[in-house]
Amino acid sequence: MRALAAVFCWALPVATAAAPLVAVDVGHYETEPGATSARGRPELEFNRALAAALAGALEERGLRVRVIGADGRMAVLSRRTAAARDARFFLSIHHDSVQPHYLEEWEHEGGRRRFSDRFAGFSLFVSRRNPELERSLACASSIGAALRAAGFAPSLYHAEPIAGESKPFADRANGVHYYDNLVVLHTATQAAVLLEAGVIVNRADETTLREPATQRAIAAAVAEGVQRCLPA
C-alpha cells in the first residue's frame, strides 16, 4: 500500500517556481457580501467555497495559486489586482443574481425570500480596457468551453437589451461577454476574467451550487480551461 501511495504521489504534478501563477479572487467582502440567494445565503459564502475548490484543482495541475480576498476584508477592489500584480492570470469568482423586476417572493423556513427561476447557468466577462484583452478573451473562451464540456450551460441573459444588462457577447457559444468597466478586470495588469458560476437566486441552481460535488466539477473544468489558455 505504501509503495502504491508513493507511486501515486509521484504522478501528481508539482508546481515549480517557473509554473504560471494564477490569482484567484474571492468576490465581495463581509460588509458587502454580494447577492442574496433564494434561501437567504450571501454570495460571499458561495464564492469562498468555489475559490477553495478551484485553488486545489489548479494546484493539482501544477499551477501556482494565490487566493485573494478570502478573509472578507479587502473592500478596495484595486487592492485585489495590486496583490496579483506578478500573476500570469487573474480570475475573479462570483455567483449571479438577476435584475430586480424578475424577482418574485416565496416562503422559506418561515420567512419571505426573493427568487427567480427564469435564468440559470454561468457567465464570463472580459474588459476591453484590460491591457491583455486577447489573452483574456482566449482564457474566458477556454474556461467556457471546458464548463460546457463538463455539462454546464451558459446563462446568456446578460446580453438582454435592458437596463442593467446589455453586455455584448464576446463569444456567445461559450457564454463570454464584454463588461468594460468592471474594476478588477480593467485595473489588472495581466489577462483577467470574471466568472459568475451560477445564478443563486434560482432555487434549483442554488441547491446544486451548494453541493461540494458541483463545486469540484466546476473547479475542475475551470482549472482545465485556465491551464489550456496559459503559455507553458
Side-chain angles (χ1 to χ4, degrees), residues 26-34 44 47-48 69 71-77 80:
V26 180
H28 295 287
Y29 46 95
E30 292 287 356
T31 55
E32 290 191 18
L44 181 60
N47 296 348
R48 279 173 167 155
D71 64 1
R73 298 175 184 174
M74 193 171 283
V76 180
L77 298 181
R80 295 171 182 253

Side-chain angles (χ1 to χ4, degrees), residues 7 13 35 46 82 88 116-117 124-125 130 132 134 152 156 170 191 206 215 230:
V7 170
F46 293 82
R88 187 77 62 84
S116 175
D117 294 338
L124 294 148
F125 298 91
N130 180 276
E132 292 193 25
E134 185 175 348
F152 299 97
L156 306 179
E206 176 195 11
Q215 294 163 6
L230 293 182

Side-chain angles (χ1 to χ4, degrees), residues 7 25 66 74-75 83 100 104 118 120 137 141 159 176 194 207 225:
V7 170
D25 172 50
R66 179 180 301 151
M74 193 171 283
E104 306 172 58
R118 182 184 293 257
L137 182 53
S141 293
V176 184
L194 186 143
T207 298

Side-chain angles (χ1 to χ4, degrees), residues 2 4 37 64 114 117 121-122 134 139 147 175 208:
R2 284 184 181 175
L4 195 61
S37 77
R64 293 183 296 136
R114 303 182 82 190
D117 294 338
F122 70 87
E134 185 175 348
C139 286
L147 284 166
T208 302

Side-chain angles (χ1 to χ4, degrees), residues 46 95 197-200 205-211 214-215 218:
F46 293 82
H95 289 74
V199 183
I200 58 174
D205 230 11
E206 176 195 11
T207 298
T208 302
L209 289 162
R210 290 192 69 230
E211 296 174 356
T214 301
Q215 294 163 6
I218 293 173

